[in-house]
Amino acid sequence: MHGHPLRYVEGLPQPGRALVMGVLNVTPDSFSDGGRYADTERAVAHARRLVADGADLVDVGGESTRPGAQRPSADEELERVVPVVATLAREGIPVSVDTMRAQVAEAAVGAGAVLVNDVSGGLADDAMFATVARLDVPYVLMHWRAHSTEMQRHTAYDDVVEDVFAELGERVREAGRAGITHSIAIDPGIGFSKTTAQNWELLRRVERFHDLGHPVLVATSRKRFLGELLAGADGERPPAERDAATAATTTLAATAGAWCVRVHDVRSSADAVRVAARWGG
Ligand SMILES: Nc1nc2ncc(COP(=O)(O)O)nc2c(=O)[nH]1
């Protein structure tokens, strides 16, 4: 068993097991649920189901980050995200905001979000680190090299684990210099400027990332590298049929000491983190 103590982020649950972050993409083009929760009411209803299924927090994202996605304007992202965050926060549901924009992070925290989840690790918006420092909320800093339209042109690494480790380390130090001395969690950025083989190598050696000294978030849910693994005669496994494989990665990530997993199908991964915790005693 991997004796890595679960590292916690202040202000969030500390249940003695990996946390489960449920995905709520309020975008028209997210690759696995695009358009289904475009309006607030449907989004809120889905978030309630995620919590009922065991989500410790709900991650609200207004910008699709799938490869090739076009960016919405800041105003469009605000319109998608803020009403949903405000409604969920009013209901007492812990909400994180998945955004690369400082302006959206600020508005979402103002509406009650308790964590900023920034896939760009502060690279997409120079104002993000200072804004998060001022807001003093936990911050997920993911490894990232370029926006979705460019992302897969930046997959050159010597050793993908050591290079991602080093690049994340530099961002964490930069975040510290900008005043984010409170809770940072790090994320290797599965599927972002990584080939399929590089994704698997990052997962195989995920424990390396504990050496950065911060809680580790792992997000594999329904991603293409799983669809490729499960491909049959008629091609890749469709995204909505990748939840068992996602739950398997959840079990392995939790056993490797991950602080949190970010998933679409909460129930299967909520069960998986409980099995991993009980198995590990
Ligand atoms: N911290 C973090 N946030 C993320 N947000 C969106 C997506 C893209 O996947 P989605 O379209 O399924 O949300 N992946 C991540 C990720 O890997 N890590």
Side-chain angles (χ1 to χ4, degrees), residues 178-197:
I180 305 181
T181 52
H182 57 287
S183 305
I184 289 181
I186 54 109
D187 176 338
I190 299 299
F192 289 80
S193 295
K194 280 88 176 185
T195 64
T196 293

mmCIF file of all heavy atoms in Angstrom, residues 178-197:
data_model
loop_
_atom_site.group_PDB
_atom_site.id
_atom_site.type_symbol
_atom_site.label_atom_id
_atom_site.label_comp_id
_atom_site.label_asym_id
_atom_site.label_seq_id
_atom_site.Cartn_x
_atom_site.Cartn_y
_atom_site.Cartn_z
ATOM 1 N N ALA A 178 3.677 35.228 -5.825
ATOM 2 C CA ALA A 178 2.539 36.126 -6.065
ATOM 3 C C ALA A 178 1.628 36.210 -4.842
ATOM 4 O O ALA A 178 0.611 36.897 -4.874
ATOM 5 C CB ALA A 178 1.729 35.642 -7.271
ATOM 6 N N GLY A 179 2.004 35.460 -3.779
ATOM 7 C CA GLY A 179 1.233 35.575 -2.540
ATOM 8 C C GLY A 179 0.268 34.442 -2.276
ATOM 9 O O GLY A 179 -0.488 34.469 -1.299
ATOM 10 N N ILE A 180 0.255 33.422 -3.135
ATOM 11 C CA ILE A 180 -0.619 32.267 -2.849
ATOM 12 C C ILE A 180 0.158 31.340 -1.918
ATOM 13 O O ILE A 180 0.866 30.424 -2.348
ATOM 14 C CB ILE A 180 -1.036 31.513 -4.126
ATOM 15 C CG1 ILE A 180 -1.682 32.452 -5.132
ATOM 16 C CG2 ILE A 180 -2.033 30.383 -3.770
ATOM 17 C CD1 ILE A 180 -2.153 31.773 -6.414
ATOM 18 N N THR A 181 0.100 31.647 -0.645
ATOM 19 C CA THR A 181 0.841 30.824 0.313
ATOM 20 C C THR A 181 -0.103 29.835 0.977
ATOM 21 O O THR A 181 0.329 28.957 1.699
ATOM 22 C CB THR A 181 1.424 31.762 1.403
ATOM 23 O OG1 THR A 181 0.346 32.569 1.899
ATOM 24 C CG2 THR A 181 2.499 32.659 0.814
ATOM 25 N N HIS A 182 -1.408 29.998 0.720
ATOM 26 C CA HIS A 182 -2.353 29.085 1.374
ATOM 27 C C HIS A 182 -2.520 27.855 0.488
ATOM 28 O O HIS A 182 -1.632 27.496 -0.261
ATOM 29 C CB HIS A 182 -3.696 29.808 1.591
ATOM 30 C CG HIS A 182 -4.281 30.333 0.328
ATOM 31 N ND1 HIS A 182 -3.754 31.438 -0.331
ATOM 32 C CD2 HIS A 182 -5.295 29.899 -0.442
ATOM 33 C CE1 HIS A 182 -4.461 31.656 -1.420
ATOM 34 N NE2 HIS A 182 -5.384 30.733 -1.517
ATOM 35 N N SER A 183 -3.631 27.246 0.482
ATOM 36 C CA SER A 183 -3.828 25.930 -0.133
ATOM 37 C C SER A 183 -3.689 25.903 -1.641
ATOM 38 O O SER A 183 -4.502 26.476 -2.346
ATOM 39 C CB SER A 183 -5.233 25.452 0.210
ATOM 40 O OG SER A 183 -5.390 25.465 1.596
ATOM 41 N N ILE A 184 -2.645 25.191 -2.069
ATOM 42 C CA ILE A 184 -2.508 24.874 -3.492
ATOM 43 C C ILE A 184 -2.581 23.357 -3.616
ATOM 44 O O ILE A 184 -1.941 22.638 -2.853
ATOM 45 C CB ILE A 184 -1.148 25.357 -4.049
ATOM 46 C CG1 ILE A 184 -1.101 26.878 -4.152
ATOM 47 C CG2 ILE A 184 -0.882 24.735 -5.417
ATOM 48 C CD1 ILE A 184 0.211 27.408 -4.721
ATOM 49 N N ALA A 185 -3.348 22.885 -4.563
ATOM 50 C CA ALA A 185 -3.296 21.480 -4.958
ATOM 51 C C ALA A 185 -2.735 21.440 -6.373
ATOM 52 O O ALA A 185 -2.914 22.401 -7.138
ATOM 53 C CB ALA A 185 -4.688 20.849 -4.912
ATOM 54 N N ILE A 186 -2.025 20.370 -6.714
ATOM 55 C CA ILE A 186 -1.443 20.310 -8.060
ATOM 56 C C ILE A 186 -2.083 19.152 -8.842
ATOM 57 O O ILE A 186 -2.642 18.227 -8.258
ATOM 58 C CB ILE A 186 0.103 20.157 -7.999
ATOM 59 C CG1 ILE A 186 0.492 18.965 -7.144
ATOM 60 C CG2 ILE A 186 0.758 21.424 -7.464
ATOM 61 C CD1 ILE A 186 1.041 17.818 -7.951
ATOM 62 N N ASP A 187 -1.992 19.252 -10.166
ATOM 63 C CA ASP A 187 -2.670 18.304 -11.052
ATOM 64 C C ASP A 187 -1.794 18.128 -12.290
ATOM 65 O O ASP A 187 -1.417 19.114 -12.918
ATOM 66 C CB ASP A 187 -4.033 18.905 -11.420
ATOM 67 C CG ASP A 187 -4.822 18.074 -12.411
ATOM 68 O OD1 ASP A 187 -4.221 17.266 -13.146
ATOM 69 O OD2 ASP A 187 -6.039 18.231 -12.462
ATOM 70 N N PRO A 188 -1.425 16.907 -12.649
ATOM 71 C CA PRO A 188 -0.516 16.694 -13.792
ATOM 72 C C PRO A 188 -1.117 17.005 -15.152
ATOM 73 O O PRO A 188 -0.417 17.020 -16.153
ATOM 74 C CB PRO A 188 -0.149 15.210 -13.692
ATOM 75 C CG PRO A 188 -1.245 14.590 -12.897
ATOM 76 C CD PRO A 188 -1.736 15.643 -11.958
ATOM 77 N N GLY A 189 -2.449 17.264 -15.194
ATOM 78 C CA GLY A 189 -3.054 17.700 -16.454
ATOM 79 C C GLY A 189 -3.163 16.581 -17.489
ATOM 80 O O GLY A 189 -2.680 16.706 -18.619
ATOM 81 N N ILE A 190 -3.815 15.491 -17.090
ATOM 82 C CA ILE A 190 -4.007 14.363 -18.010
ATOM 83 C C ILE A 190 -4.787 14.829 -19.232
ATOM 84 O O ILE A 190 -5.854 15.427 -19.108
ATOM 85 C CB ILE A 190 -4.741 13.205 -17.309
ATOM 86 C CG1 ILE A 190 -3.937 12.662 -16.115
ATOM 87 C CG2 ILE A 190 -5.054 12.076 -18.300
ATOM 88 C CD1 ILE A 190 -2.572 12.098 -16.455
ATOM 89 N N GLY A 191 -4.228 14.571 -20.416
ATOM 90 C CA GLY A 191 -4.927 14.939 -21.648
ATOM 91 C C GLY A 191 -4.609 16.334 -22.143
ATOM 92 O O GLY A 191 -5.092 16.731 -23.213
ATOM 93 N N PHE A 192 -3.818 17.077 -21.429
ATOM 94 C CA PHE A 192 -3.455 18.444 -21.839
ATOM 95 C C PHE A 192 -1.991 18.477 -22.276
ATOM 96 O O PHE A 192 -1.085 18.347 -21.451
ATOM 97 C CB PHE A 192 -3.662 19.429 -20.676
ATOM 98 C CG PHE A 192 -5.096 19.692 -20.327
ATOM 99 C CD1 PHE A 192 -5.794 18.790 -19.545
ATOM 100 C CD2 PHE A 192 -5.754 20.825 -20.792
ATOM 101 C CE1 PHE A 192 -7.126 19.008 -19.233
ATOM 102 C CE2 PHE A 192 -7.091 21.062 -20.476
ATOM 103 C CZ PHE A 192 -7.778 20.151 -19.691
ATOM 104 N N SER A 193 -1.791 18.593 -23.601
ATOM 105 C CA SER A 193 -0.442 18.554 -24.179
ATOM 106 C C SER A 193 0.287 17.277 -23.785
ATOM 107 O O SER A 193 1.453 17.286 -23.392
ATOM 108 C CB SER A 193 0.383 19.786 -23.755
ATOM 109 O OG SER A 193 -0.191 20.956 -24.290
ATOM 110 N N LYS A 194 -0.426 16.187 -23.830
ATOM 111 C CA LYS A 194 0.144 14.848 -23.566
ATOM 112 C C LYS A 194 -0.389 13.874 -24.614
ATOM 113 O O LYS A 194 -1.577 13.936 -24.974
ATOM 114 C CB LYS A 194 -0.254 14.313 -22.172
ATOM 115 C CG LYS A 194 0.574 14.866 -21.014
ATOM 116 C CD LYS A 194 -0.019 16.142 -20.497
ATOM 117 C CE LYS A 194 0.695 16.697 -19.288
ATOM 118 N NZ LYS A 194 -0.033 17.887 -18.776
ATOM 119 N N THR A 195 0.470 12.973 -25.071
ATOM 120 C CA THR A 195 0.014 11.860 -25.920
ATOM 121 C C THR A 195 -0.615 10.806 -25.013
ATOM 122 O O THR A 195 -0.460 10.849 -23.788
ATOM 123 C CB THR A 195 1.207 11.206 -26.652
ATOM 124 O OG1 THR A 195 2.079 10.637 -25.645
ATOM 125 C CG2 THR A 195 1.977 12.233 -27.485
ATOM 126 N N THR A 196 -1.275 9.842 -25.636
ATOM 127 C CA THR A 196 -1.880 8.747 -24.863
ATOM 128 C C THR A 196 -0.829 8.046 -24.003
ATOM 129 O O THR A 196 -1.021 7.842 -22.807
ATOM 130 C CB THR A 196 -2.541 7.748 -25.823
ATOM 131 O OG1 THR A 196 -3.651 8.403 -26.444
ATOM 132 C CG2 THR A 196 -3.019 6.506 -25.095
ATOM 133 N N ALA A 197 0.312 7.737 -24.602
ATOM 134 C CA ALA A 197 1.378 7.043 -23.857
ATOM 135 C C ALA A 197 1.867 7.904 -22.693
ATOM 136 O O ALA A 197 2.127 7.401 -21.589
ATOM 137 C CB ALA A 197 2.536 6.721 -24.802
#
